[in-house]
Amino acid sequence: LQTPQFQAVAAGDAGGGFLINNLVGANNFHQGASGAEVLLQTKSFQYTTPTFVDGLSLKYQYGAGTLNNNNDDANHYAADYKTGAFAAGVAYSTYKSGVADTTTDKATTYYATYDFGPVILKAMWGKAETSGYDDVNTTSFGFHVPMGAATFMYNHGSSDGRVNSSNTVTSGVDQAGDFIGVSYALSKRTTAYAAYYKETGSDGATANSGSSWNTTRFIVIHSF
C-alpha cells in the first residue's frame, strides 16, 4: 500500500509516481530523502478523517511489518490542502527499517504545486533521520507542461547531509539529479513513458565517495 510519503513525493516531484517506481529504489537519499523503504507499506491499515475544512484532508496509516526493510511499527501522518489551482501538504513518518533495529527512523516531506494551465509548477522539501545518526535534506523543483495527450516533465533535485557508516566514520551526502520525461496517453488506461535521469555527486556510502550515473527508460503502464 502506498504510504503518505509516497503520495507526497508523487505530488511534489514532477517525475511523480513514475520516478518513484522506476528510479528512486536505486538511491536512498534523493527524491523524498528516505528512499524506497518508507514509500510502500505492507500489513497496514489507513484511515482518512471526514472533511471538517473544505479542501483539507487528514490521513493516518499504521504498518506492522515483520520482514527486514518492511517498516516495522510504522506510523505515517499526512495533511493535504487544495484550493483552486493551489495544493500543498506534509507527510511525517516514524518507523523501524528492520526487526532487529533499536532506533526509530523519521522522514518528513513537504510539497506544493500550482496549476497555471499551460504549466504546472511543483516543489518539494524532505528530511530523513535514519539509523540514529544519518541526517539528510533534499529539495526539489520542476514542472509539467500538458500538450494534449502528452505531458512534458522536468525536475531538478538535490540532497545534502551526513551518513555514518559506523559510529566513528561520517561521510557527506552531496548529490544533484535531473529528470526529463514525457508521457503519452495511449488510451484511458494505458500510458507510455520515455524518461532520462542523470545524477552526480557523493552518495555518502563511504568517506569521499562519489556517485554518478544515468538511465534512460521506456515504459508502458496499463491499469486493469
Side-chain angles (χ1 to χ4, degrees), residues 188-200:
K188 290 183 179 180
R189 295 186 177 184
T190 306
T191 304
Y193 294 86
Y196 173 78
Y197 180 74
K198 181 178 181 179
E199 181 179 283
T200 58

Side-chain angles (χ1 to χ4, degrees), residues 21-220:
N21 284 318
N22 298 286
L23 302 180
V24 78
N27 184 339
N28 287 333
F29 307 109
H30 195 48
Q31 310 296 348
S34 54
E37 280 190 358
V38 75
L39 298 175
L40 300 174
Q41 181 73 73
T42 59
K43 300 181 180 179
S44 67
F45 71 86
Q46 191 175 98
Y47 174 72
T48 301
T49 65
T51 301
F52 300 106
V53 177
D54 284 347
L56 179 64
S57 174
L58 302 177
K59 187 179 299 179
Y60 169 74
Q61 182 178 346
Y62 174 76
T66 58
L67 299 177
N68 194 33
N69 296 324
N70 195 33
N71 301 347
D72 300 301
D73 194 23
N75 293 275
H76 306 279
Y77 309 86
D80 300 279
Y81 181 73
K82 180 174 176 57
T83 176
F86 175 76
V90 56
Y92 174 73
S93 300
T94 63
Y95 62 99
K96 297 182 184 299
S97 62
V99 176
D101 280 9
T102 58
T103 60
T104 298
D105 296 343
K106 301 175 184 178
T108 307
T109 302
Y110 300 88
Y111 74 89
T113 70
Y114 195 90
D115 188 349
F116 286 96
V119 60
I120 303 170
L121 298 182
K122 293 174 175 280
M124 185 178 70
W125 178 81
K127 181 179 180 67
E129 300 172 74
T130 61
S131 303
Y133 37 65
D134 300 350
D135 190 350
V136 179
N137 297 281
T138 67
T139 57
S140 171
F141 64 88
F143 56 85
H144 281 185
V145 180
M147 299 173 288
T151 298
F152 175 79
M153 301 169 283
Y154 170 76
N155 196 81
H156 175 79
S158 61
S159 57
D160 64 88
R162 69 179 189 274
V163 173
N164 262 355
S165 55
S166 70
N167 290 331
T168 58
V169 178
T170 302
S171 54
V173 174
D174 185 7
Q175 292 177 307
D178 289 284
F179 169 86
I180 299 173
V182 61
S183 66
Y184 188 85
L186 299 173
S187 68
K188 290 183 179 180
R189 295 186 177 184
T190 306
T191 304
Y193 294 86
Y196 173 78
Y197 180 74
K198 181 178 181 179
E199 181 179 283
T200 58
S202 172
D203 60 10
T206 58
N208 301 317
S209 66
S211 65
S212 180
W213 60 278
N214 62 82
T215 182
T216 302
R217 306 210 177 183
F218 301 94
I219 294 177
V220 176

